[in-house]
Amino acid sequence: MPQTFDALAVRTWCGLALQALGRAREEIDAINVYPVADGDTGTNLYLTVESATAAVEAVFAGHEAVAAPAPGTAPVSGTAPASAAAQGTGVAGESDVRLADAIRAMAHGALIGARGNSGTILAQLLRGMAQVLTADGEAAHTDGRGLSLALRNAADSARGAVAHPVEGTVLTVASAAADAAFGVEGDCGTVALAAYEGAGTALAATTGQLAVLEHAGVVDAGGRGLVAVLAALTETFTGQAPRPFAASTGPHEPAAGALPGTTGLPGPAGTPGAAAADTGTGGSRAAGPDAPEGHGADAAAACGDTAAGTGHPAFEVIYLLEAEDAAVDRLRDRLDGLGDSLVVVGGDGLWNVHVHVDDAGAAVEAGVEAGRPHRIRITHFGLGDVHTGAGTGRPPRERTQRAVVAVVPGEGLAGLYTEAGATTVLARPGEPPASGELVEAVRRAHAREVVLLPNDADLRHTAAAAAEQARAEGVRVALIPTRSAVQGIAALAVHEPERRFDEDVVAMTSAAGATRYAEVAVAERQSWTMAGICQAGDVLGLIDGDVAVIGTDVTATAETVLDRMLAAGGEMVTLVLGDEAPETVAARLEARVRESYLAVDTVVYRGGRQGALLLIGVE
């Protein structure tokens, strides 16, 4: 029976692609040199696919919630096993989820979670596939011909989104994959394998297609990631991971002497292997896949002297944007004059914007003028090549034994943490740090051992990715899953660099875990919460991440939250005041503790612009 591409195959593909990028992430990150040596290409691709996978899982979870399992049958959970696709039909099982729903979710998840140049282009490729596979919304599956058409549209959409496509990038690899898939007839497994082999051959040739890649002796890292994603697609239908291959000889075992990050992939002529460089977006104009020719950006232009030297823009700015098409056209023109590496993908009112600029504020303001930007991420590129340390003219300084790296939500807390000896990463409201920023902070700490405090539950995956990258660079990293800055304060209070690393980590973890955390904030919109329905402007009291109190007065709400927390006991209350908190709230809370809770101490800090009006910790 021919293999077909259905919703369960999409689910399996997501899981296998995430695993493949997880394995390749560190080696791609470690040798990222183009257009900026910020060491996060593999991580960006991984996080993009992670977001796509979560979106697909949410679709399946919604269907499973309304369909009770048959007697004696366990409900489906997690990603479908890879081997299921190899049981003769290439179908991982039965499901009520339609192909259109699954692939649309995958593309949308990649769009909203896209990170960096390569992640943004991958999201656009998936959107191009979805445009074909959702054309017949009722179809349960597609065959090999349908898959090849989807791959063709994906490559054409990505190439059509650039004004001046440059060969030697992920665009080249995607086009080669589509060409190879279009040239064969057969089931989905046959088409996917042809695409994988075509992509691998093109990847090996990228070194000689761009001067910056040839000079470094590397292949394109975005293309390297796409090859991994196509290998996962092949395994989805065949049940077996395709063997790494050499462009000249076809499938083979990994070549002896291959350079890191390119197992089994050949290097330039006469070399056993090639390293990977980040996908370039040195040009300045980009568009969604439906944009007419002339409105696309050079998402893969060679960076030349600008990226290779000291003239590259200082910041990477990424945000999601809700805006009309006409406003996005104007935004492209505005950002075109501000910087380079501009990529804008998406459509139907939702866009992902990526640009390198010197004036990050102006890039965000341009988004505000166009529509509603959110999930704003700003990364400052470090000076010089982070992998070589070249350009300083000074011998490297000796590493310290141990350091603490912490994400903090406001300038006031940044000063507090710094005084305590920590290296800080500032997370402004609506601007969570990317993994590259955390890795750069670990490098700035310049220690053999690092304790990483994310201080935000939403940063757990980003922090984990940064920790893995730092470990690949030879740093011993312990990630303590702090969910609030007040937990980080408790952990930092018991930090003793003279202790054995494991003992210090255990003590800090215990202190953080023993600290309950809360915050008082103002609701931005109407929403359902654990405490009922809140309206825009209501004062919310969140305890351990859940809304517990809805009020109208900041001080009264804070008192209720504090009473609930101290009802379970406590010895120390920590209050961190935001800039917009009422002047009297700290004095009122301190007085309440003194009058109502004996032997409980209170300490107050100024957090600055931290998003929440008030942070509360109870130890």
Side-chain angles (χ1 to χ4, degrees), residues 1 47 131 141 162 174 248 273 307 319 375 377 425 509:
M1 180 177 178
L47 293 174
Q131 287 175 325
H141 58 79
V162 303
S248 58
Y319 50 81
R375 294 197 184 185
R377 296 189 298 273
V425 178
T509 302

Side-chain angles (χ1 to χ4, degrees), residues 150-537:
L151 291 170
R152 176 78 276 160
N153 192 62
D156 291 346
S157 295
R159 189 167 288 271
V162 303
H164 308 287
V166 174
E167 301 307 324
T169 67
V170 66
L171 298 178
T172 304
V173 176
S175 293
D179 290 343
F182 222 67
V184 300
E185 295 183 1
D187 56 26
C188 288
T190 302
V191 171
L193 181 60
Y196 165 73
E197 292 181 342
T201 301
L203 176 65
T206 58
T207 303
Q209 293 176 295
L210 274 179
V212 64
L213 301 182
E214 186 172 18
H215 178 74
V218 298
V219 298
D220 180 72
R224 170 72 175 87
L226 181 58
V227 168
V229 171
L230 291 172
L233 182 62
T234 303
E235 185 177 354
T236 296
F237 300 113
T238 66
Q240 294 181 335
R243 290 181 297 170
F245 69 97
S248 58
T249 61
H252 72 92
E253 294 301 319
L259 295 178
T262 57
T263 304
L265 290 173
T271 65
D278 188 10
T279 296
T281 56
S284 60
R285 302 203 49 190
D290 299 322
E293 187 173 352
H295 285 273
D298 191 351
C303 60
D305 293 337
T306 299
T310 60
H312 194 279
F315 297 97
E316 177 186 56
V317 178
I318 307 174
Y319 50 81
L320 290 179
L321 179 69
E322 296 176 15
E324 299 298 326
D325 291 4
V328 172
D329 288 339
R330 292 192 296 271
L331 173 66
R332 291 190 190 102
D333 292 336
R334 173 77 180 278
L335 294 179
D336 186 7
L338 291 177
D340 60 27
S341 298
L342 174 61
V343 184
V344 182
V345 300
D348 302 322
L350 182 63
W351 309 82
N352 190 301
V353 179
H354 170 281
V355 67
H356 293 175
V357 294
D358 283 320
D359 189 345
V364 175
E365 289 171 4
V368 172
E369 293 176 3
R372 189 178 79 86
H374 52 106
R375 294 197 184 185
I376 301 167
R377 296 189 298 273
I378 299 176
T379 302
H380 185 273
F381 295 124
L383 296 177
D385 188 326
V386 298
H387 300 297
T388 65
T392 64
R394 299 188 299 271
R397 60 187 174 92
E398 183 67 19
R399 289 182 179 270
T400 59
Q401 182 59 34
R402 189 175 308 160
V404 176
V405 172
V407 180
V408 292
E411 295 88 347
L413 280 180
L416 174 67
Y417 273 75
T418 301
E419 288 177 8
T423 299
T424 61
V425 178
L426 188 60
R428 295 182 175 86
E431 301 176 12
S435 60
E437 289 181 86
L438 301 187
V439 173
E440 180 57 30
V442 171
R443 292 173 182 146
R444 289 201 318 269
H446 205 63
R448 300 181 182 89
E449 301 168 340
V450 169
V451 180
L452 182 57
L453 306 175
N455 292 339
D456 188 336
D458 291 336
L459 290 178
R460 60 189 185 280
H461 295 305
T462 301
E468 288 191 25
Q469 182 175 333
R471 293 183 188 115
E473 297 179 7
V475 182
R476 188 181 185 187
V477 180
L479 171 60
I480 297 178
T482 48
R483 295 170 175 267
S484 171
V486 292
Q487 288 188 324
I489 292 173
L492 199 56
V494 300
H495 169 54
E496 293 185 13
E498 295 77 17
R499 273 193 299 225
R500 289 179 53 244
F501 185 63
D502 292 339
E503 293 177 353
D504 199 28
V505 170
V506 168
M508 295 176 71
T509 302
S510 298
T515 302
R516 299 187 68 198
Y517 64 96
E519 67 177 77
V520 177
V522 176
E524 295 181 354
R525 62 183 64 87
Q526 184 187 62
S527 179
W528 287 87
T529 75
M530 296 288 290
I533 301 176
C534 70
Q535 306 295 330

